[in-house]
């Protein structure tokens, strides 16, 4: 196995130039069209490490890697000594001797950073409590399939300004689209994130009124009110009730607006069944595009 001296990690959207991000998406669209069937990752092995449960991330990475000709090893945090028994850096050094690329789905951003700093093979961020960049790459692919170039589009995020929203913020700056975040004060973007938006001249605004944020939007986006790491479910339900995406809110957006959700969805909470099952819903394309987007990221990381 050849050990790369400078692995091409994919840790967060804002770590990459727009040219790099566009190259990943172009590869994804190319392979989705059925081209590139020469199995460019034949002989390569991907290690999938999960400290959190997953449906779409696990299946889309595993099937995508196999379609590219590669092999997959799935591990949970309990099966290996990730951060206990040995350092995360030591785990990264050992895995780098066995596999060609690593995907880590974990809680703390610091674990991902420690893995990437020590690994001599590429590391992909499969989700942390701070960001979810592979999901947003799939969302951009989906939006552009449905509605064309994302530049200057208007997105309305409604609900908790969580890790998925954070990656949308990064994407809005990189791909130059407007992002309106409708959320209660208690679940707003952090001061650090607001400062980052300001420093990078992002077109991101924070609203308390979801109707104001949704009016004229090209896409409405939301996520579950209670994520895997949240312990205050009752409080969150009360805070987020006004931010539900329903037919009335959807009707305020453009007539050809689409609805997006990273899933799993809690119907009749953050979104009504009439919207997620309705003609403007793009959520099933989003789910499929997780696999295509990740194939673009995998081949970019391995330069194949």
């Amino acid at each position: 196995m050849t050990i790369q001296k400078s692995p091409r990690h994919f840790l967060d959207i804002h770590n990459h130039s727009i040219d790099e991000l566009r190259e990943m998406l172009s590869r994804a669209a190319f392979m989705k069209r059925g081209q590139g069937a020469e199995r460019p990752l034949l002989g390569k092995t991907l290690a999938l490490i999960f400290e959190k449960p997953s449906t779409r991330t696990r299946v889309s990475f595993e099937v995508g890697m196999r379609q590219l000709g590669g092999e997959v090893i799935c591990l949970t945090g309990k099966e290996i000594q990730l951060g206990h028994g040995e350092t995360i850096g030591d785990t990264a050094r050992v895995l780098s001797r066995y596999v060609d690329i690593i995907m880590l789905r974990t809680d703390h951003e610091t674990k991902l950073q420690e893995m990437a700093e020590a690994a001599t093979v590429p590391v992909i961020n499969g989700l942390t409590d701070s960001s979810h960049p592979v999901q947003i790459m799939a969302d951009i692919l989906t939006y552009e399939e449905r509605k064309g170039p994302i530049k200057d589009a208007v997105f309305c995020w409604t609900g908790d300004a969580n890790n998925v929203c954070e990656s949308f913020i990064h994407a809005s700056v990189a791909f130059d689209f407007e992002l309106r975040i409708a959320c209660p004060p208690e679940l707003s973007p952090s001061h650090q994130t607001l400062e980052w938006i300001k420093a990078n001249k992002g077109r991101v605004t924070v609203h308390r009124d979801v109707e104001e944020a949704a009016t004229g939007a090209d896409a409405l986006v939301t996520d579950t009110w209670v994520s895997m790491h949240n312990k205050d479910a009752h409080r969150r339900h009360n805070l987020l009730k006004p931010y539900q995406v329903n037919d009335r809110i959807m009707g305020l957006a453009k007539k050809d607006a689409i609805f997006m959700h990273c899933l799993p969805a809690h119907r009749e909470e953050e979104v009504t069944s009439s919207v997620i099952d309705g003609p403007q819903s793009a959520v099933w394309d989003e789910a499929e595009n997780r696999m295509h987007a990740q194939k673009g990221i995998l081949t970019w990381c391995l330069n194949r």
Side-chain angles (χ1 to χ4, degrees):
M1 180 187 304
T2 300
I3 299 175
Q4 300 179 23
K5 292 182 178 178
S6 301
R8 302 175 85 175
H9 301 311
F10 181 75
L11 304 182
D12 265 317
I13 285 174
H14 63 293
N15 292 340
H16 296 278
S17 68
I18 186 62
D19 289 343
E20 290 175 335
L21 296 168
R22 279 291 173 200
E23 183 181 345
M24 295 176 211
L25 291 175
S26 293
R27 289 167 178 246
F30 180 77
M31 288 182 279
K32 185 175 182 180
R33 291 194 296 268
Q35 297 166 304
E38 65 278 12
R39 307 176 81 198
L41 300 190
L42 187 66
K44 301 294 183 182
T45 300
L46 165 67
L48 298 174
I49 304 174
F50 293 95
E51 286 200 303
K52 291 190 167 196
S54 168
T55 301
R56 278 153 293 279
T57 298
R58 172 165 180 173
V59 177
S60 58
F61 263 113
E62 185 160 349
V63 173
M65 186 66 179
R66 293 189 190 286
Q67 288 183 359
L68 293 170
E71 298 291 335
V72 180
I73 298 171
C74 284
L75 303 162
T76 67
K78 293 180 180 178
E79 290 173 319
I80 60 176
Q81 296 169 305
L82 189 68
H84 54 88
E86 67 179 9
T87 67
I88 293 173
D90 286 351
T91 299
R93 293 180 186 93
V94 172
L95 288 180
S96 295
R97 301 298 180 105
Y98 299 143
V99 304
D100 301 281
I101 187 165
I102 299 167
M103 187 234 66
L104 176 62
R105 184 180 176 92
T106 185
D107 47 7
H108 294 293
E109 184 79 11
T110 52
K111 293 182 180 178
L112 178 74
Q113 295 295 336
E114 188 175 348
M115 176 75 73
E117 287 171 7
T120 54
V121 300
V123 175
I124 295 174
N125 177 0
L127 177 143
T128 72
D129 289 351
S130 302
S131 64
H132 197 5
V134 290
Q135 174 67 54
I136 304 310
M137 291 294 279
D139 291 352
I140 293 166
L141 180 64
T142 304
Y143 181 88
E144 295 198 327
E145 283 179 345
R146 290 284 191 111
K147 296 198 58 170
I150 198 169
K151 186 178 186 304
D152 295 328
V154 178
F155 272 65
C156 170
W157 172 278
T158 174
D160 180 12
N162 62 9
N163 53 350
V164 182
C165 181
E166 185 82 6
S167 287
F168 255 115
I169 291 170
H170 297 158
S172 73
V173 171
F175 290 91
D176 196 15
F177 61 87
E178 180 182 345
L179 176 62
R180 303 171 185 166
I181 301 170
C183 61
E186 295 86 346
L187 300 175
S188 292
S190 67
H191 175 73
Q192 183 181 18
T193 295
L194 293 174
E195 288 298 310
W196 183 88
I197 293 167
K198 185 177 178 181
N200 287 278
K201 298 180 172 57
R203 289 191 284 164
V204 182
T205 50
V206 179
H207 305 251
R208 303 300 172 218
D209 183 347
V210 64
E211 295 185 5
E212 177 186 72
T215 299
D218 293 289
L220 296 185
V221 194
T222 192
D223 195 0
T224 55
W225 288 347
V226 183
S227 297
M228 288 177 281
H229 59 282
N230 295 140
K231 307 297 183 187
D232 52 348
H234 181 69
R235 170 178 169 270
R236 284 174 166 272
H237 277 82
N238 288 333
L239 287 172
L240 291 166
K241 277 181 182 175
Y243 297 91
Q244 181 191 68
V245 181
N246 49 42
D247 290 325
R248 183 177 61 82
I249 297 300
M250 201 72 212
L252 296 172
K254 290 180 180 175
K255 289 185 178 179
D256 64 344
I258 59 174
F259 171 72
M260 308 181 81
H261 192 305
C262 60
L263 302 176
H266 293 190
R267 291 163 181 259
E268 315 312 331
E269 289 187 8
E270 74 272 10
V271 61
T272 59
S273 293
S274 60
V275 170
I276 196 171
D277 293 331
Q280 292 172 276
S281 174
V283 298
W284 315 119
D285 287 347
E286 275 183 273
E288 177 188 341
N289 280 339
R290 287 292 307 276
M291 181 177 71
H292 302 297
Q294 286 155 191
K295 287 165 74 173
I297 294 166
L298 285 165
T299 55
W300 180 85
C301 287
L302 290 169
N303 199 21
R304 293 300 180 103

